[in-house]
Amino acid sequence: MPQMRLDELLEELQARINAARGTRDRVHSLLEAVVSVGRELDLSQVLRRIVEAGAQLVDAQYGALGVIGPDGRTLSQFLTSGMTQEQRERIGPLPAGHGLLGELIRHPEPLRLSELGSHRASFGFPAHHPPMRTFLGVPIRIRDEVFGNLYLTDKRDGLDFDAEDESVITTLAVAAGVAIDNARLYESSQRQHRWLRAGAEVTNHLLSGDTRQDVLELIARRAAEITGAGLAELSAPVPGTDTLAVELSVGDDGLQGRSVPLDGTLAGAASAAGTHVVSACLGKDPRFLADPHLAEGPGPAVAVPLGTAAGADVLLLVRAVGEPVFTEAELEPLLAFAGQTALALELAVRRRDAEHVALLEDRDRIARDLHDLAIQRLFATGMTLQSAARLIEHTGAAERVTRAVDDLDETIKIIRSTIFGLRARDDGAGTSLRARASRTVGDAVTSLGFPPRLSMEGLLDTDVPLDVAEHVVAALGELLSNTVRHAHATRVEVSLKATADEVRLTVSDNGRGIPEQSRRSGLANLAERAHQVGGALEMSTPDGGGSRLLWRAPLRWAGPAPYAPADEGRPALFPGARRTARSSQPTAAGTEYG
């Protein structure tokens, strides 16, 4: 009997020693888990470690962490542990926080169940979901905010989760809340730093004289990178219409070059209201049924106006389906970036306007000096030579002096044409063939992806009749459009030249050429346009491949009289001088665009 009593005491002592050792090991594991969770600063890694540590501490087969969304009623993220990727794919969409998972959202208190299917809030499992019986759920708090819930199911030994398990997981949840808060603060500071750096980069590029298109692309790319958006678009209101034009798109599903309505679109709502508009899932948002992005099934989105007034340009950012919605913590630096960008763009416009005014003033000075000094001296020289020619008895010498007088007459006309070109304004593009051709080539840069090379020679603004100039500009636009659609070229050269008797427009590229059996409706239109003014369209292939199209039209034909600026249409500068045919060589220095 004493021996049995001694054995019982030894067994009880051994059990208590084992329990103490188990408690010690569990406390040690808990401390290791807390350190492991707190070591990370990347929020996604912190959440992943919390799930794995929780399942390991209570020996649960499955674990999950649900992050509560901004509405406070559903889950915006759901991380799992214990399931393979194949199992997750077979189950389908992750839970949104209804049923038993939503019970902890509605009542953020620890919950233990011996049979989770028997709870009144349980809706059962979807197809292909592994069976689960025991359940332990604990809320994760950050100060007074419930960040999410930690769910654990099926203890491996087949027993129920006990009070000790609940205590351990509750302690882990407290440490997890601190680790999540630290990770969020670190993430916020890093994001703020990236936004500040992006804003400074945009400002530097604007002040360095980069084109608006390049700066807009930089804005869209940086915004997409920082927010993790799969699509970034910049749109501008079209004056006099109820539409927005998509100026630039970064992403596979962009609508660059298309127009979208103001009504029924996220970008339109932001532009009309002058404030940002957020959608938790653009593809399911009933407010934006007219949005053309809906066909692609987009996810969370935000539209931010670049400015505070209604009718401003809009930056649209769209994430993929299943990605987290845009939170207030993300929107604050994004709005600051949009405001800084709008200010930088406005300052750049003002700076360009000031530079343009200075350029025009300089052009006026040059034109005035040419008119008051150079032309008068040439005129006096011509009059002197003309008088001297009457005194020359040698026939050959007299003819040479007469030709020199004619050359001076042509030189004065060229200078006057140059003066007219210098004084041409953008609002006078209708009367300046040079300006209209430059603008047409410039408009093609976005579609081509690179600037074409443009050279212009001759008296384009004085000798080319107005109606012929209209055909030249239209033909240039059509030729460049055909190059964009069909040539797949990496180099395009445009030459516009006015000779003594015709205007010649040549567009060459290094693309794939014009197939013999291809449809040529566009070329037929160009040929017909040339025929209407007595000209022709010629096609050839350069030595290096590609295509060369020459559109030409005569300057003198049976149509309207040629257009002449204020300085033209006067009598000959030197009365009595013999007019000679002009040289077919270029009479004015060529200019290049690009």
Side-chain angles (χ1 to χ4, degrees):
M1 187 69 177
Q3 182 65 34
M4 291 183 60
R5 181 62 178 169
L6 181 59
D7 291 341
E8 290 175 357
L9 290 174
L10 289 175
E11 289 178 1
E12 183 179 352
L13 179 60
Q14 186 63 43
R16 291 187 178 184
I17 291 174
N18 291 337
R21 184 182 293 116
T23 302
R24 183 201 63 187
D25 292 342
R26 197 163 207 185
V27 170
H28 181 69
S29 299
L30 176 60
L31 291 175
E32 284 186 342
V34 169
V35 172
S36 174
V37 168
R39 186 183 297 121
E40 291 289 343
L41 286 176
D42 181 77
L43 183 57
S44 61
Q45 291 297 323
V46 169
L47 299 180
R48 176 64 60 189
R49 285 185 178 273
I50 291 171
V51 179
E52 296 172 350
Q56 184 178 3
L57 283 173
V58 296
D59 202 22
Q61 185 174 355
Y62 303 106
L65 192 153
V67 180
I68 300 176
D71 59 3
R73 299 187 303 272
T74 58
L75 299 176
S76 61
Q77 288 180 267
F78 195 80
L79 293 84
T80 62
S81 173
M83 291 188 187
T84 64
Q85 181 64 30
E86 183 181 357
Q87 284 179 307
R88 286 193 290 267
E89 291 175 355
R90 292 183 64 190
I91 293 172
L94 296 175
H98 304 296
L100 185 58
L101 300 184
E103 183 71 14
L104 274 176
I105 298 176
R106 294 184 293 271
H107 306 286
E109 299 292 339
L111 177 64
R112 276 188 292 133
L113 298 173
S114 298
E115 188 63 52
L116 60 85
S118 63
H119 194 275
R120 56 182 174 77
S122 178
F123 291 164
F125 299 111
H128 308 296
H129 195 287
M132 296 179 181
R133 188 178 67 82
T134 56
F135 177 86
L136 172 59
V138 175
I140 299 176
R141 298 177 182 272
I142 300 177
R143 301 184 184 90
D144 296 331
E145 170 196 358
V146 178
F147 174 82
N149 297 299
L150 181 59
Y151 309 103
L152 301 163
T153 62
D154 285 6
K155 205 167 183 178
R156 293 185 185 276
D157 55 11
L159 300 176
D160 295 341
F161 293 106
D162 55 23
E164 187 176 345
D165 294 327
E166 180 181 323
S167 177
V168 169
I169 296 302
T170 301
T171 304
L172 176 65
V174 173
V178 175
I180 292 171
D181 192 29
N182 289 337
R184 283 168 53 170
L185 290 173
Y186 176 76
E187 186 178 77
S188 177
S189 65
Q190 290 295 104
R191 185 168 53 240
Q192 185 74 27
H193 175 70
R194 294 179 68 187
W195 280 121
L196 291 174
R197 188 169 57 187
E201 187 179 5
V202 170
T203 302
N204 288 337
H205 279 266
L206 281 170
L207 297 180
S208 299
D210 286 12
T211 64
R212 174 181 170 84
Q213 196 72 10
D214 290 341
V215 174
L216 291 181
E217 182 176 359
L218 176 64
I219 293 171
R221 289 194 181 280
R222 292 295 178 266
E225 290 170 2
I226 295 174
T227 61
L231 174 65
E233 287 182 354
L234 276 161
S235 305
V238 180
T241 67
D242 294 329
T243 60
L244 292 170
V246 181
E247 290 190 73
L248 187 134
S249 178
V250 176
D252 296 335
D253 302 326
L255 304 171
Q256 183 168 330
R258 294 176 55 184
S259 296
V260 299
L262 283 172
D263 294 334
T265 61
L266 191 69
S271 178
T275 184
H276 69 282
V277 181
V278 181
S279 175
C281 184
L282 187 57
K284 298 179 181 179
D285 200 318
R287 298 174 295 170
F288 309 114
L289 296 178
D291 204 305
H293 300 86
L294 297 183
E296 305 297 334
V302 61
V304 180
L306 301 183
T308 56
D313 294 357
V314 178
L315 171 63
L316 175 67
L317 300 170
V318 184
R319 287 173 174 163
V321 175
E323 292 290 322
V325 299
F326 289 89
T327 63
E328 287 298 326
E330 291 180 290
L331 290 178
E332 185 176 351
L334 172 59
L335 295 176
F337 172 75
Q340 180 183 0
T341 299
L343 179 61
L345 288 171
E346 184 66 22
L347 290 176
V349 170
R350 295 290 179 265
R351 179 170 174 264
R352 282 194 295 269
D353 288 345
E355 292 175 350
H356 188 57
V357 169
L359 176 63
L360 294 179
E361 290 176 348
D362 199 36
R363 286 182 175 183
D364 284 342
R365 180 188 58 78
I366 295 172
R368 186 170 56 252
D369 291 346
L370 285 174
H371 184 274
D372 296 343
L373 300 176
I375 288 182
Q376 302 307 322
R377 293 178 66 89
L378 290 173
F379 183 84
T381 303
M383 293 293 291
T384 301
L385 290 175
Q386 187 176 0
S387 300
R390 299 191 185 99
L391 305 176
I392 300 175
E393 296 181 356
H394 191 279
T395 305
E399 288 181 355
R400 289 187 179 184
V401 171
T402 302
R403 283 199 297 269
V405 171
D406 289 341
D407 289 342
L408 287 175
D409 193 6
E410 289 297 320
T411 302
I412 292 175
K413 190 173 182 180
I414 291 171
I415 293 177
R416 282 180 168 166
S417 174
T418 303
I419 293 172
F420 177 76
L422 286 173
R423 288 176 172 171
R425 300 296 192 267
D426 291 339
D427 55 4
T431 59
S432 173
L433 178 56
R434 286 177 179 270
R436 297 178 67 187
S438 295
R439 188 169 67 239
T440 301
V441 173
D443 291 342
V445 173
T446 301
S447 302
L448 286 169
F450 57 88
R453 181 180 180 272
L454 171 63
S455 62
M456 293 185 285
E457 300 178 6
L459 304 176
L460 295 170
D461 293 334
T462 56
D463 279 13
V464 180
L466 183 58
D467 51 352
V468 176
E470 294 289 341
H471 285 286
V472 170
V473 174
L476 176 57
E478 179 68 19
L479 287 168
L480 290 174
S481 177
N482 288 341
T483 303
V484 170
R485 293 197 303 268
H486 307 300
H488 301 285
T490 58
R491 186 182 71 253
V492 176
E493 296 183 1
V494 178
S495 172
L496 182 57
K497 181 187 299 185
T499 64
D501 50 11
E502 69 176 0
V503 58
R504 303 168 64 89
L505 171 64
T506 306
V507 177
S508 306
D509 64 69
N510 65 342
R512 59 185 184 182
I514 303 174
E516 291 293 333
Q517 304 300 325
S518 65
R519 294 178 57 190
R520 302 193 176 190
S521 57
L523 298 179
N525 292 337
L526 287 166
E528 175 62 25
R529 186 180 291 279
H531 179 71
Q532 291 176 9
V533 289
L537 175 69
E538 300 175 5
M539 294 176 289
S540 61
T541 301
D543 294 338
S547 63
R548 179 187 294 116
L549 288 95
L550 169 62
W551 189 98
R552 56 188 179 84
L555 298 181
R556 305 291 180 264
W557 65 299
Y563 170 78
D567 279 339
E568 296 296 330
R570 297 180 177 179
L573 294 176
F574 313 125
R578 181 170 59 86
R579 308 295 299 215
T580 59
R582 298 177 190 165
S583 170
S584 61
Q585 298 300 316
T587 56
T591 59
E592 293 188 4
Y593 173 87

